[in-house]
Amino acid sequence: MTSDFTIAVHSLVYLAYLPGNRASSEAIAHNVATNPARIRKVMGALRNEGFVKTREGIHGGYMLAVNPELVTIGQVYETISRGALQPKWQTGDPDHGCPVSSNTQNVMDCIFQEAESSYAAFLHQYTVADVLEKIENRHQTV
Amino acid sequence: MTSDFTIAVHSLVYLAYLPGNRASSEAIAHNVATNPARIRKVMGALRNEGFVKTREGIHGGYMLAVNPELVTIGQVYETISRGALQPKWQTGDPDHGCPVSSNTQNVMDCIFQEAESSYAAFLHQYTVADVLEKIENRHQTV
DNA sequence: CCGTACTGTAATTTTATTTTGTACAGTTTA
DNA sequence: TAAACTGTACAAAATAAAATTACAGTACGG
């Protein structure tokens, strides 16, 4: 699985943390510790779903477009990484006479999908603001 | 994430399916469509947790050691793949002055662990026998 | 007590995936 | 019209997963 979800959450939390709720891909990349091109790709997906607004050109960048107390990281997961938990490797052989060999993959696919929904449902418990709060609390206590 | 969990479930289901509940690594590998060495590695882990018994030497192989109606695939997940859902890539920089950069990874680690527990809890719904039943039903209906 | 058919395990190679880096066209505004 | 951005594509590098190979150890059957 890629780390796009982690990057998306980190970026949204960072925007929520900043006074003006805006930053360039370079500033976000520096905070996340990756390169600007990768941030732009992830932010593009977030923009498509309305989480952020982007502005090109000079003084452009990314701006939070939603209330961080209302957006859950489950929503972020669904838009960025839905399907990422499904292993790509295929078990068995569809043409094998044995039903176990030919059908286990289908049954597992179905189970993986349901299990991923559980995973996403869990993530709906936390909003972007919750994550920021955890980060700030940890900063004080540890 | 590796596909060891898929292979473990497939192997257990296959043993449950076979009349004698026993097979060699080569027979399982053929059914799963991989190589015997990989099967032996996964089966070794299953043996350590008591799911199967192994016998070396001639006429050796793997034998189901539990009631497939009582073992859940959540248990299999816990022994084979616990931690597999945690991305290895690290976000931010622990030495960055900004708390978002230095602490997001820790907070996400914690959330990923909890979310994985939800995932595993979901998998506890299904026993090895349930999976086999789904496979056989699908064979008849599709 | 030797040969055959297995498992256990480690090392290596191959393949696939993920991440990074680079480049450049398009956009905005000062 | 130059400067500072985003959008996007492609190539390179790094990492992870899977397959392959090899061989020591074990157990049975003659």
Side-chain angles (χ1 to χ4, degrees):
Chain A
M1 152 204 30
T2 75
S3 297
D4 288 352
F5 169 62
T6 303
I7 289 178
V9 172
H10 188 146
S11 300
L12 290 173
V13 167
Y14 183 53
L15 288 178
Y17 166 79
L18 292 173
N21 293 347
R22 25 193 333 354
S24 69
S25 63
E26 200 179 326
I28 299 171
H30 183 245
N31 199 272
V32 167
T34 184
N35 53 294
R38 194 176 184 193
I39 295 296
R40 295 202 282 264
K41 204 156 53 102
V42 172
M43 296 310 269
L46 291 179
R47 176 205 54 220
N48 291 342
E49 299 301 317
F51 293 107
V52 298
K53 284 215 171 83
T54 75
R55 217 166 79 193
E56 296 186 21
I58 196 167
H59 298 148
Y62 301 91
M63 185 170 181
L64 201 58
V66 290
N67 183 342
E69 298 189 1
L70 297 180
V71 176
T72 73
I73 61 176
Q75 292 174 263
V76 176
Y77 180 83
E78 301 271 11
T79 73
I80 297 290
S81 290
R82 184 67 187 179
L85 262 45
Q86 198 101 4
K88 286 141 218 259
W89 190 85
Q90 300 278 112
T91 191
D93 172 5
D95 301 326
H96 196 300
C98 170
V100 175
S101 189
S102 57
N103 288 322
T104 298
Q105 183 65 54
N106 299 149
V107 170
M108 290 306 288
D109 279 350
C110 178
I111 291 172
F112 280 132
Q113 247 178 273
E114 293 173 332
E116 185 172 21
S117 293
S118 268
Y119 188 88
F122 176 86
L123 295 178
H124 278 299
Q125 286 188 287
Y126 296 116
T127 65
V128 169
D130 291 335
V131 176
L132 178 55
E133 197 197 317
K134 278 171 183 277
I135 289 166
E136 291 182 322
N137 286 346
R138 175 175 287 262
H139 192 55
Q140 286 160 14
T141 48
V142 177
Chain B
M1 149 205 33
T2 75
S3 297
D4 288 353
F5 169 61
T6 304
I7 289 178
V9 172
H10 188 145
S11 301
L12 290 172
V13 167
Y14 183 53
L15 288 178
Y17 166 78
L18 292 172
N21 292 347
R22 20 186 357 326
S24 69
S25 63
E26 200 178 326
I28 299 172
H30 183 244
N31 199 271
V32 167
T34 184
N35 53 293
R38 193 174 183 196
I39 295 296
R40 295 202 281 265
K41 202 156 52 101
V42 172
M43 296 310 269
L46 290 179
R47 178 204 55 220
N48 291 342
E49 299 301 318
F51 293 108
V52 298
K53 285 216 170 81
T54 77
R55 216 166 80 194
E56 296 185 21
I58 196 166
H59 298 151
Y62 301 91
M63 185 171 182
L64 201 59
V66 290
N67 182 342
E69 297 189 1
L70 297 179
V71 176
T72 72
I73 60 176
Q75 292 174 263
V76 177
Y77 180 84
E78 300 271 11
T79 74
I80 297 290
S81 290
R82 184 67 185 178
L85 262 45
Q86 197 103 3
K88 287 142 218 256
W89 189 85
Q90 300 278 112
T91 192
D93 173 4
D95 301 326
H96 196 300
C98 171
V100 175
S101 188
S102 57
N103 288 322
T104 299
Q105 183 65 53
N106 300 148
V107 171
M108 290 306 288
D109 279 350
C110 177
I111 291 172
F112 280 131
Q113 247 178 272
E114 294 173 332
E116 185 173 21
S117 293
S118 268
Y119 188 88
F122 177 86
L123 295 177
H124 278 298
Q125 286 189 287
Y126 296 116
T127 66
V128 169
D130 290 335
V131 175
L132 177 55
E133 196 197 318
K134 279 171 182 278
I135 289 166
E136 290 182 322
N137 285 345
R138 176 175 288 260
H139 191 57
Q140 285 159 15
T141 47
V142 178

